Amino acid sequence: MKSWISVSSDSDFPIQNIPFGVFQTATNEPKVATIIGEKVIDLSALAAHGYLDAVDFDKNVFNSCHINDYMALGKPVTNAIRAAIQSIFNIENTTLQNNETHQAAILHDVSKVELLMPIKVGDYTDFYSSRDHAINVGTMFRDPENALLPNWLHLPVGYHGRASSIIGSGTPIRRPKGQQMPAGADKPVFGASKLLDFELEMAFVIGKSNEMGTSVSTKSAEDHIFGMVIFNDWSARDIQKWEYIPLGPFLAKNFASSISPWVVTLEALSDFKVESPVQEPKVLPYLEFEGNKNYDIRLEVDIVPENGQSKTVSQSNYKYMYWNMCQQLAHHTINGCNMNVGDMLASGTISGPESHEYGSMLELSWRGTKPIAMPDGSERKFINDGDTVVMRGFGQKDGVRIGFGAVSTKVLPAS
Ligand code: MN
């Protein structure tokens, strides 16, 4: 499949992708969109010009500042719409290709629009599902001999985060302030976090709800998962260390999490499915699954200093996840917890086995004991004011690359 819109070989957005997001221009209200190459496609304009008439749905879902109403149409409809979009932009289809007036109303250069937060997130949950990350953190903070707590291999550990502070790429954050207990001190101090960190994660978005009192099985989970984004779960390690006992993270995590601008559908990612790591001991029946449920998605993190040269500090892969999304959703709902369209469930920090594959500065600098050298001669143990953290991810197979675009966030000084 090839589009009549030109797509460079290193683009995240060939015609095979067709992710969903929200954009606005200086003169237009926010609208739901997709992207091919460098062209943002206004789906409300595409529908208004009759190009999606063959699919029966409420075209008003595209006149929105989020994609929730679109996702709620359900996969039979959204998959038909996605296929219709691919047909319209296929090089063999000349209808819109030969209509420059319509193109002017429908297509926008990505450099000339603003991409907005694509989802109205209702509830947000963060898991802790990378074994290498859990072992690294357990080794640093507790006991190398018993790095994994007894429950870890039996259930996908998670906690309820906060949805209000999930932001889109490009929105800067302020360094958080809070209580810390410095090593050797006998009482806590208050101030700006000194150990601000990123967490390299991916998140999935619920596109189909389940009623309270019912559960989603691993078998039906993919029907409830609309798609995925790259997710930077900002973390203040000094605040976290003091506050997290006994109920887990609180103010160290809820000040900001950043997501990439395009929600990539599970259908677009299907070619990148791979086997999961072997789960031993055997999981309980409700967590068993059939087939490949993991994904080979390459991930990387760059730190870009203010006025400085960027450095790639981590190269990981989603395939390292021990617990897959289907297991996470089955576990989350096994007690009858209801999920709503727009809920976001993040993976937890995704670390691989090699030291360059660690998904946080906590691990990369090994708690600050191994600073990372930057091209300008400075060092990073954690993230400095003025730094921009950029995360990217894509799958690549048989010459087709399906990506997410970047999630880029600048850190401003504490207020
Ligand atoms: Mn996290």
Side-chain angles (χ1 to χ4, degrees), residues 79-330:
N79 286 343
I81 294 168
R82 206 170 143 261
I85 295 167
Q86 286 173 325
S87 165
I88 294 159
F89 292 93
N90 193 306
I91 197 159
E92 285 163 16
N93 187 335
T94 54
T95 313
L96 179 56
Q97 192 175 171
N98 290 345
N99 191 327
E100 285 182 13
T101 313
H102 284 183
Q103 283 182 39
I106 294 165
L107 302 181
H108 299 263
D109 288 340
V110 68
S111 61
K112 292 187 179 143
V113 305
E114 187 184 358
L115 300 178
L116 305 177
M117 173 75 187
I119 300 153
K120 186 179 180 198
V121 181
D123 279 304
Y124 155 52
T125 296
D126 196 22
F127 286 97
Y128 187 56
S129 289
S130 148
R131 186 175 187 156
D132 291 298
H133 173 69
I135 287 177
N136 286 340
V137 173
T139 300
M140 271 185 270
F141 286 101
R142 285 193 314 275
D143 173 10
E145 299 302 309
N146 297 290
L148 291 182
L149 286 167
N151 60 2
W152 201 93
L153 293 170
H154 295 279
L155 56 83
V157 170
Y159 73 96
H160 285 303
R162 188 164 176 86
S164 67
S165 53
I166 300 180
I167 52 175
S169 178
T171 303
I173 64 164
R174 288 239 170 243
R175 178 175 298 272
K177 297 179 287 196
Q179 278 197 33
Q180 303 137 39
M181 180 66 105
D186 58 2
K187 58 178 192 291
V189 299
F190 176 84
S193 169
K194 294 181 178 68
L195 310 181
L196 179 61
D197 200 356
F198 58 78
E199 289 188 334
L200 172 60
E201 306 195 17
M202 295 191 71
F204 64 91
V205 187
I206 298 295
K208 180 180 175 181
S209 61
N210 66 290
E211 277 184 35
M212 192 172 165
T214 69
S215 305
V216 178
S217 66
T218 57
K219 198 171 178 147
S220 60
E222 286 168 340
D223 195 32
H224 290 254
I225 300 171
F226 180 81
M228 300 180 77
V229 293
I230 310 287
F231 191 97
N232 182 352
D233 187 26
W234 290 98
S235 299
R237 301 301 181 193
D238 36 12
I239 297 172
Q240 183 180 354
K241 185 165 178 272
W242 171 230
E243 73 170 4
Y244 86 101
I245 298 163
L247 289 184
F250 184 34
L251 304 180
K253 302 271 193 174
N254 72 359
F255 60 95
S257 300
S258 314
I259 67 167
S260 53
W262 298 103
V263 183
V264 177
T265 65
L266 279 200
E267 289 69 30
L269 296 169
S270 62
D271 283 348
F272 308 107
K273 280 189 164 182
V274 289
E275 275 183 44
S276 298
V278 175
Q279 295 186 322
E280 179 61 43
K282 201 167 168 317
V283 297
L284 284 167
Y286 81 94
L287 290 170
E288 288 174 356
F289 63 95
E290 283 172 24
N292 289 346
K293 299 296 182 193
N294 213 337
Y295 291 87
D296 182 359
I297 300 169
R298 302 178 210 176
L299 302 166
E300 67 172 42
V301 185
D302 292 357
I303 297 175
V304 190
E306 208 157 36
N307 310 316
Q309 208 184 322
S310 84
K311 170 152 180 157
T312 300
V313 295
S314 174
Q315 289 177 298
S316 188
N317 194 306
Y318 186 79
K319 71 183 179 188
Y320 295 132
M321 293 283 289
Y322 186 83
W323 296 102
N324 61 58
M325 289 184 275
C326 297
Q327 292 179 307
Q328 291 171 336
L329 185 54

